[in-house]
Amino acid sequence: MFDYCIVGAGLAGCVLAERLASQAGRRVLVVERRDHIGGNCFDYYDEAGILVHKYGPHYFRTNRRHVFAYLSQFTDWHYVYYRIRVMVDGRLVPLPINLDTVNELYGSSWDSEACQAFFARTRATIPQPANSEEVILAKVGRDLYEKIYEAYTVKQWGLSPRELDPSVCARIPVRFNRDDRYFTDRYQAMPKDGYHRLFARLLAHPKIHLLLKTDWHEIRQAIPFGKLIYTGPIDAFFDHCYGRLPYRSLRFEHETLDQEVFQPVSQVNYPVDYDFTRIVEIKHVTGQRHPKTTIVREYPEADGEPYYPVPRPESQALLEQYLAAARPTGVHFIGRLAQYRYLNMDEVVDEALALFERLAAAEVE
Ligand code: FAD
């Protein structure tokens, strides 16, 4: 008899398993349908011996000191700033848009003030943007919208920015200085020995039992347990009884090259050219030295593994139905699939730690 059954060995499931076993002495069963732990953060050494991220690049960063401190118990870090370039009119320029992006694209040599004046002239006046196109036009104006965002969004989502909720593009930053870091969070680092080792250490407790290649739906009647924590898709939990929540998926095409470096930074976005959205060379941020390199091209797709919830009013309405069905079950739904929300890794850890505190407090009462 297990005290807890946790469905999914991703970040949410592994953090909760670790806390429940090590801090509350609970016996925990973790059930994972894939053949590995780590969920979408999983990484591995490919045939050439290069550490690659199986499900797209995972750049860890956070402003939450307690999240960083918690994970630091299970890994050392390779400290690194993430840098991204975007291919526009045949040039590689910094993303997010900064002073250098503007100067390189317009052949200008503006300073910060002149750059701000440029944006003041070009951005559209839209006090309350109703969709993602309006959000971007209000931030950068039409030319940069068309060069950097419009076609990329169509490739990524299969929808025009006009059809997407304003929240999808609400956080696009524009900088008037030369800071070319992709993120500005206080802590930015990759697990020194890779994500897979970090996850293995989270689960390395004698009270945690792991079942890989096991779908919860196939064994749910067979295993006795106390409480259930579910990190899979919420609509699948209810056998899609109200319909399927839409997701955007990705296909990853790996290629190993007989050269040390392929591109100047870990990620280059291709908004207009090609069918792929980006090429990732993760070596730049894992810090691995190797005479060869592996690059990954990402092709957005409608079908496949569920990666990105599609933020539209219809999906929100469907989600509300599932959330209402979830409330009386006594099951704890946590993580990006169970909540149908795009969550960064640090948000997932934060929410898992908070759920553990609530569970521990409820048991004391
Ligand atoms: P998951 O990692 O999806 O884990 C859920 C697990 O449940 C999966 O392993 C799944 O196989 C399993 N499961 C589902 N159903 C069942 C079932 N019926 N039975 C058994 N097991 C089941 N975040 C960042 O902070 N930085 C980044 O750079 C970043 N890049 C990303 C890039 C991509 C392409 C994607 C898709 C996400 C990215 N993220 C990034 C987000 C990050 O992946 C998530 O925050 C994190 O993985 C969520 O963890 P989770 O445990 O909620 O979900």
Side-chain angles (χ1 to χ4, degrees):
M1 174 78 180
F2 293 96
D3 299 307
Y4 281 87
C5 176
I6 299 181
V7 180
L11 203 47
C14 291
V15 168
L16 275 155
E18 187 283 324
R19 287 288 88 181
L20 287 163
S22 77
Q23 302 300 302
R26 296 290 170 242
R27 279 160 303 164
V28 183
L29 175 68
V30 179
V31 183
E32 168 57 56
R33 71 175 167 80
R34 289 172 172 165
D35 63 0
H36 61 75
I37 58 174
N40 284 347
C41 306
F42 180 67
D43 56 9
Y44 65 100
Y45 288 90
D46 67 12
E47 280 181 17
I50 297 158
L51 184 63
V52 289
H53 290 189
K54 181 161 181 166
Y55 305 99
H58 277 69
Y59 305 126
F60 183 79
R61 84 281 184 175
T62 187
N63 284 316
R64 298 170 162 97
R65 183 192 285 246
H66 70 285
V67 167
F68 194 65
Y70 170 74
L71 291 177
S72 300
Q73 299 174 73
F74 306 95
T75 185
D76 290 331
W77 298 99
H78 172 66
Y79 293 95
V80 64
Y81 291 124
Y82 311 112
R83 289 195 163 81
I84 292 182
R85 298 282 181 268
V86 55
M87 180 67 83
V88 182
D89 300 339
R91 290 163 192 264
L92 284 187
V93 294
L95 196 71
I97 293 173
N98 71 6
L99 183 57
D100 287 326
T101 315
V102 173
N103 279 333
E104 284 175 42
L105 288 181
Y106 295 106
S108 51
S109 47
W110 291 324
D111 60 9
S112 178
E113 225 172 284
C115 184
Q116 288 188 54
F118 163 79
F119 278 104
R121 283 196 303 277
T122 50
R123 61 166 76 100
T125 310
I126 306 173
Q128 280 193 322
N131 55 50
S132 276
E133 177 178 273
E134 292 188 2
V135 169
I136 308 171
L137 289 175
K139 227 168 215 175
V140 302
R142 180 154 296 277
D143 193 45
L144 287 171
Y145 166 71
E146 286 174 359
K147 282 182 159 67
I148 298 183
Y149 297 107
E150 187 180 25
Y152 188 91
T153 309
V154 172
K155 269 202 252 181
Q156 174 74 11
W157 294 98
L159 295 167
S160 151
R162 267 189 306 282
E163 299 170 89
L164 283 170
D165 197 270
S167 65
V168 181
C169 298
R171 284 190 287 175
I172 289 174
V174 175
R175 301 190 186 131
F176 306 115
N177 55 25
R178 306 188 63 194
D179 184 354
D180 71 340
R181 293 170 302 160
Y182 196 57
F183 304 112
T184 53
D185 298 57
R186 178 164 184 191
Y187 304 98
Q188 306 194 34
M190 301 291 281
K192 205 168 197 165
D193 305 318
Y195 284 102
H196 60 289
R197 297 286 278 278
L198 162 58
F199 280 88
R201 288 179 197 133
L202 283 169
L203 294 183
H205 192 284
K207 286 186 181 280
I208 300 176
H209 186 76
L210 172 67
L211 278 181
L212 289 178
K213 294 196 258 183
T214 307
D215 193 309
W216 153 252
H217 296 95
E218 283 159 22
I219 57 138
R220 62 182 155 184
Q221 310 295 352
I223 292 188
F225 59 86
K227 292 182 180 144
L228 182 64
I229 295 174
Y230 180 85
T231 76
I234 190 168
D235 54 349
F237 183 88
F238 295 102
D239 299 320
H240 307 104
C241 62
Y242 303 123
R244 284 183 183 270
L245 283 165
Y247 278 95
R248 197 71 180 150
S249 193
L250 293 170
R251 177 168 60 83
F252 302 100
E253 186 185 89
H254 292 234
E255 187 181 1
T256 299
L257 304 168
D258 206 0
Q259 61 196 70
E260 198 171 343
V261 173
F262 173 75
Q263 60 192 25
V265 289
S266 66
Q267 183 176 315
V268 174
N269 289 5
Y270 290 83
V272 177
D273 306 321
Y274 308 113
D275 293 336
F276 50 82
T277 45
R278 56 188 186 180
I279 298 183
V280 173
E281 188 178 23
I282 205 72
K283 217 179 160 193
H284 287 276
V285 293
T286 57
Q288 187 182 14
R289 306 290 294 272
H290 196 292
K292 294 186 180 185
T293 192
T294 296
I295 59 169
V296 183
R297 296 182 182 84
E298 279 186 22
Y299 296 84
E301 297 201 326
D303 302 316
E305 284 283 310
Y307 290 126
Y308 300 108
V310 183
R312 304 190 72 195
E314 306 87 277
S315 36
Q316 189 56 36
L318 194 51
L319 174 63
E320 296 297 336
Q321 287 182 279
Y322 284 116
L323 290 176
R327 256 170 241 130
T329 59
V331 175
H332 301 281
F333 291 84
I334 182 163
R336 58 171 201 110
L337 296 166
Q339 297 175 96
Y340 192 68
R341 268 166 62 208
Y342 184 84
L343 294 167
N344 287 323
M345 289 180 276
D346 66 323
E347 296 172 290
V348 171
V349 174
D350 189 34
E351 293 192 3
L353 293 175
L355 174 57
F356 169 70
E357 292 302 332
R358 289 199 300 279
L359 293 172
E363 288 196 13
V364 171
E365 276 167 17

